[in-house]
Structure formats: C-alpha cells, structure tokens
Amino acid sequence: MKRIISVLLACLLVFSLAACGGGTQSEVTSSTVDGSSSQVEESSANSESIPTEDDEDYPVIRINETAFYGGPPENGDRIQEALNVIMREKAHAEIEFVYVQMSDLKTQLNLLLTGGDDSLDLLSSFWYAGVGELVSNGQVMAIDDLLASSGHGIQEIFEPYSEILDCGRVNGKLYGIPSVCAWTCENCYLVMEDIVKDANIEFPEKIADLDELTPLLIKLKEAHPDKYFIAGSTSPYWIPKTIDYLGDNNYLGVILDPENSTEIENFYESEYFLNFLENVKIWKENDLISPDPMSNNTAVLGNLSSKITYGVTGYDYNMKNTVYEAEKQDSYDGPILGTQIGEKYLTSANASTYMWHVTSFSKDPEAAMRVLNVLYTDPEAANILMNGLEGVTYQIDENGQLEYPEGVTNHQEAGWFAMYNAARPNGFLCPTWNYSRPDAYELLKEDNANAIKSKALGFTPNLSSVADQYAACANVIAQYYAPIVNAVVDIDDTLPVFQQALRDAGIDDIIAEEQRQFDEWLAAK
C-alpha cells in the first residue's frame, strides 16, 4: 500500500501546490484560501452569460481524470453527482469524468482527442503534452472569447498575474489556463536518513549542482555496496528545472540561463547536458544506477518506497513540506532527508506544467468554460474535485485539516484520487490534509515570491510550422534518450549518433523558428 501512496507522492516531486512569483502573490492566494473570495465567486459563478430555462437539458462536459489505481475510484460516481448539483446551478451544465489509466495515459488521451462522440470537452494536459504541441496538433481551441464571456472569475484570479496566464498563449491567442498551484520549482535529491547516518556523512540542505551531489552518492555506495542511489527508469528520473524548456518536455529548444539569457539553444549539445552525462558515467562506473533500468517503469518515488533505490533525484515545490509529509505518512519505512539542487526558478516551463484546456472537439465550448470557471472560483466545487466528500473520503480534524475517515488508511481505500492536487484548477481554495504542514500554502507562496524569474516567462512557441521536424525529433529522442541517460549504451559512442540524428531530423529548424518567435515576442513587450 505504501508503494501506491508513493506513486502519488511522486506528484510531490512533480506537484506540491504552488503559486507565482511577485510580491502580491499572498494577497490573491490568501483570499482564495481563507474563504474571503465571495466577490470572485459572485462575479464568476453568477454573472456569466448562461441559459436560464427551468426545464433545460444540461449539456454534459466530459473531463479526463487520471486513474492512479488501475480503475475508476469507488466513490467517483458520488463525487461526480455532488459536483453536478453545483454545476447545474452555477454553470447550467453537468460533468462526466472520463477515467484514463495512468499506465496508458498517452494512448488513451490520443484516442479521446480525435473527435467523435466520446471526445473530451475539457482537458487537463499534465503528463500528456505541452500547450505548443497541443496547438500544433489541433487538439485544443483558442479561448480568449470564451474567457471574456464565461470565465470572468478566472480573469479576476489572473489579473495580477498576466505573465502566468500568458504561458497558455501561442501566437498571442490563449489556449490553456494554468492551474493555481505550482508555478516554481527546484531540483532535489531525497534519501533515507538512516542510510546517510550509517555512511557517517551529512547531506546539506542545498547544493549547487550534480557535481556536488555525485561525491555524496559515492560515499553512500561505499558504505552500502549492495544498495543503489539513482533510480534508473524508462520514466525520466531527471528533469532540468534550472533551465526554461518553454513547456516542451522534449527540450527541443531551451534557455539555459533563464535569468539572464534570451538565446534558445540545443539542449542536447549544451554544456548542461554534457555535464549531466559526465555524472551519469560516474554513476554507472560506481554502480549507483539501479539494475535493469530499461525494464523499470516505476514512478520516481516508487523506487524509494519499494527500496529499488535508497535515494532518488527529482524535482519539488517545497522540500520542507515534502519531507514533513513523508514522515507523517511513513511513506518509506523511515524518515528521509532532502537536498535542494540549484536555485528555484519561475519559468514558462514550470508555470505551464499543470494546465486546463477546452478541446477542439467540445460540442459546447461555452458550457465547458462555465464549468471550468466554477472549478477555479467556487470553494465547494474545488474541494469536491480535489478531496471528495466529507464523511466519505475525508473528515475534518480539530485543526481544520482533512484526515481519513475512521477505518480508512489511504486515498485508495477512501475511493478518490485526493492526492492529485496540483493538477486541479485551484488547490488554494481547499484545506490541507493533516499530513501536510499547516503552513504549506504560505511556504509555497514565499517560494514563488522569491523565485528567479525567467526572461521568457509568458512565452510559448508555436510549433505548427515545424510540426514535421518536431515529430521526427521526438521519434529520435524516444529511440536514444532513455538508453543514454540510463547508461545502458556506451555514452561516448552513442551521443554523437544521437546528436546527428536530431540535426538530420530538423532540430536546428525548430530552434531557429522558436528564436524568431521569441525575438518578436520580446520586441513587442
């Protein structure tokens, strides 16, 4: 059961609820957290242009819901109906959850985004594709007019944070709305505390880069020669969060120094990537990488809970809260330590990680936007979507935090995906769970206010004109990237072949087009 919890806790290395950089972040997010959001609620939920017929047939808006446990949750129907009670009143629509298996997410979403009666209306694109790729594929529609007519509350939320909302724009048109959650990020390393103590070393709270991490891992290996400390896997175990990859998880054009640079570069020929691979070679030489990595598709933290490895690389939104939650839930059969690697950045890549879209196949886009507006602005609806139903999937403790009902020990038993929080439209409207720090939201707001802002914040390239090159490069990456970073091939021999294959596929065309668009975007600011 702990392995299941840790698969979801991987979302803490992938999403811990955060907000935006800027000194006024706490003003907006506190208004949505402390319940004083009545003005936003009223303007958003009651003043939209919605039908008023007493006997109307409500349009049904289909929304993807990731099934972490291998099937629909036990209480999914009850939660859907509870939301529909609100949606009928405030959105004059109903919703229908479409459960997509986490193990087959890409394939299933591809089928649900091709048109037809079973297509989605609203898409949460996390783990699927970036907004630029979605636009290039014709899977999502521009929503500027919809937002103006049926998304007033969303507009109010993002009014102070136009750069964050702009992360959903491509060629000036809005195609996605970021979740009110994690807009900043840091790379990190998590390790079992007892393993560190046995090695008689100290893990600092923060280090500069992987060059400082690798000697620590070697010392751990020397003290524990039978254990592994890098979770080799077909799932990416290292996602570079100190660069801005502009919302493209294939990294086909990145800004390596987002604080100072406006140059878009080839990540796979960069000093950053070459340095990363030098560390990979050392990890391989010292037997730090878990065995048979190309057969391991375990989510990052699942490797730690199942003891495939005793430490994992990853990324995180607040280390203090992550370590606190792991200890409170005893997720790893003992306490863990966390080390931040590098600085925390506010980039287009991070701000667009969790995004909501109206699909190009929606049969009623206005109704879809009304539903989305309620989920962003109504605390009751937001909490039902995130946490389920009081007395069913949670109860409230004496501190006002959520806890499991009597006899329930985890979210699977509770029958809802309550840990899937950062991908929800507005997590800050909801209470925290009792395994989180009571000040978790405040920590996240502080992080975001102090994060280093990318010069490209708010820019997302349009890949339509280089769609063929992008598809070709994506195929090259699918062939070479995982074997290289898992060191199952000779890196020195394979890397030049990989780099040349990307050039042959057209990566230079992609970078040139992105740079052209970025220069125009900068000039227009």
Side-chain angles (χ1 to χ4, degrees):
M1 200 62 67
K2 287 179 180 177
R3 183 176 302 186
I4 293 171
I5 293 172
S6 291
V7 169
L8 294 178
L9 270 173
C11 304
L12 289 171
L13 287 181
V14 177
F15 52 77
S16 194
L17 301 179
C20 151
T24 60
Q25 174 63 37
S26 59
E27 297 172 13
V28 166
T29 54
S30 62
S31 71
T32 60
V33 170
D34 65 16
S36 60
S37 57
S38 58
Q39 181 179 357
V40 171
E41 291 172 45
E42 181 175 356
S43 66
S44 62
N46 299 326
S47 66
E48 307 299 348
S49 56
I50 59 178
T52 57
E53 293 86 350
D54 293 336
D55 298 323
E56 67 176 292
D57 290 327
Y58 296 105
V60 177
I61 301 304
R62 289 165 54 85
I63 306 174
N64 61 303
E65 180 69 31
T66 304
F68 284 102
Y69 307 128
E74 180 180 350
N75 290 307
D77 289 345
R78 298 176 68 177
I79 290 166
Q80 178 176 293
E81 178 53 32
L83 277 171
N84 278 335
V85 171
I86 299 172
M87 292 301 170
R88 293 180 195 117
E89 175 190 354
K90 295 188 174 183
H92 282 241
E94 295 179 342
I95 66 165
E96 178 186 349
F97 291 131
V98 180
Y99 294 101
V100 178
Q101 302 300 311
M102 181 62 195
S103 59
D104 195 27
L105 185 144
K106 286 265 186 184
T107 300
Q108 291 188 46
L109 283 180
N110 284 341
L111 294 173
L112 290 167
L113 293 169
T114 56
D117 292 339
D118 61 349
S119 291
L120 296 174
D121 295 280
L122 286 176
L123 169 69
S124 173
S125 58
F126 180 51
W127 277 322
Y128 177 59
V131 62
E133 186 177 355
L134 292 169
V135 172
S136 178
N137 292 341
Q139 294 170 308
V140 296
M141 67 170 60
I143 56 176
D144 301 84
D145 292 341
L146 293 175
L147 197 64
S149 64
S150 301
H152 299 160
I154 297 174
Q155 287 180 315
E156 291 182 32
I157 289 172
F158 284 97
E159 187 175 352
Y161 309 108
S162 59
E163 288 178 310
I164 301 300
L165 187 60
D166 285 347
C167 292
R169 294 191 186 279
V170 177
N171 279 3
K173 294 182 179 180
L174 188 67
Y175 289 90
I177 303 171
S179 297
V180 181
C181 63
W183 295 340
T184 65
C185 200
E186 66 196 23
N187 281 118
C188 67
Y189 189 81
L190 300 180
V191 61
M192 299 300 302
E193 184 178 284
D194 60 338
I195 292 293
V196 174
K197 288 182 177 179
D198 289 345
N200 197 29
I201 62 175
E202 291 187 8
F203 260 73
E205 292 185 3
K206 180 179 178 181
I207 57 179
D209 50 34
L210 290 175
D211 292 345
E212 291 189 28
L213 175 67
T214 293
L216 296 173
L217 302 187
I218 292 174
K219 291 180 180 178
L220 292 178
K221 184 68 177 182
E222 290 172 348
H224 305 278
D226 59 332
K227 294 178 172 56
Y228 302 94
F229 298 94
I230 294 293
S233 174
T234 55
S235 300
Y237 67 83
W238 181 257
I239 297 177
K241 289 299 183 178
T242 60
I243 70 174
D244 195 341
Y245 47 90
L246 306 175
D248 174 20
N249 291 332
N250 282 313
Y251 316 139
L252 295 174
V254 304
I255 299 177
L256 297 168
D257 180 9
E259 180 181 10
N260 303 298
S261 176
T262 59
E263 181 183 0
I264 297 177
E265 302 182 54
N266 185 337
F267 174 72
Y268 299 102
E269 297 189 11
S270 69
E271 182 179 346
Y272 182 105
F273 186 60
L274 297 180
N275 180 260
F276 168 64
L277 292 183
E278 287 302 314
N279 282 281
V280 171
K281 286 189 275 187
I282 296 173
W283 300 341
K284 176 70 172 179
E285 291 166 2
N286 288 273
D287 200 25
L288 293 167
I289 302 173
S290 57
D292 200 14
M294 297 303 292
S295 297
N296 178 22
N297 60 3
T298 306
V300 175
L301 279 178
N303 291 277
L304 189 57
S305 63
S306 60
K307 297 301 180 285
I308 296 173
T309 63
Y310 286 75
V312 291
T313 53
Y315 64 95
D316 192 84
Y317 295 101
N318 186 273
M319 189 73 63
K320 291 179 181 178
N321 192 56
T322 295
V323 172
Y324 180 92
E325 289 193 356
E327 184 170 351
K328 287 282 285 188
Q329 296 184 96
D330 192 23
S331 302
Y332 308 107
D333 294 322
I336 62 173
L337 299 175
T339 295
Q340 178 178 333
I341 304 174
E343 302 298 331
K344 184 185 288 287
Y345 283 84
L346 176 58
T347 67
S348 289
N350 291 336
S352 63
T353 300
Y354 318 103
M355 193 165 282
W356 286 81
H357 316 265
V358 178
T359 75
S360 301
F361 317 104
S362 176
K363 298 176 181 62
D364 196 332
E366 287 281 355
M369 180 57 70
R370 294 197 303 266
V371 166
L372 200 54
N373 192 74
V374 172
L375 293 175
Y376 270 88
T377 61
D378 185 272
E380 183 181 6
N383 189 52
I384 292 172
L385 180 63
M386 179 182 286
N387 297 312
L389 302 172
E390 184 176 359
V392 179
T393 61
Y394 70 85
Q395 59 192 26
I396 300 175
D397 69 13
E398 65 276 7
N399 298 317
Q401 290 186 292
L402 307 186
E403 63 181 5
Y404 298 122
E406 186 176 354
V408 174
T409 61
N410 58 61
H411 291 296
Q412 183 178 15
E413 293 178 6
W416 187 240
F417 310 122
M419 293 182 69
Y420 189 39
N421 42 23
R424 307 305 193 187
N426 192 346
F428 282 137
L429 289 175
C430 307
T432 57
W433 281 79
N434 65 353
Y435 51 72
S436 293
R437 289 174 56 124
D439 63 346
Y441 292 127
E442 297 305 317
L443 289 174
L444 295 166
K445 295 171 199 173
E446 292 173 6
D447 287 343
N448 294 324
N450 297 322
I452 300 170
K453 184 183 291 188
S454 170
K455 286 185 175 294
L457 182 63
F459 170 74
T460 301
N462 182 357
L463 303 172
S464 299
S465 64
V466 287
D468 291 343
Q469 294 94 321
Y470 186 92
C473 287
N475 288 334
V476 171
I477 291 167
Q479 178 182 354
Y480 286 100
Y481 183 76
I484 288 175
V485 300
N486 285 298
V488 298
V489 295
D490 186 290
I491 293 176
D492 291 333
D493 289 342
T494 309
L495 179 61
V497 179
F498 174 41
Q499 293 169 331
Q500 185 60 52
L502 285 172
R503 288 193 291 270
D504 293 341
I507 191 172
D508 292 334
D509 294 339
I510 296 171
I511 293 171
E513 176 61 19
E514 290 180 340
Q515 186 70 63
R516 182 191 67 77
Q517 293 180 28
F518 187 36
D519 291 343
E520 290 180 357
W521 181 84
L522 288 169
K525 287 188 70 175

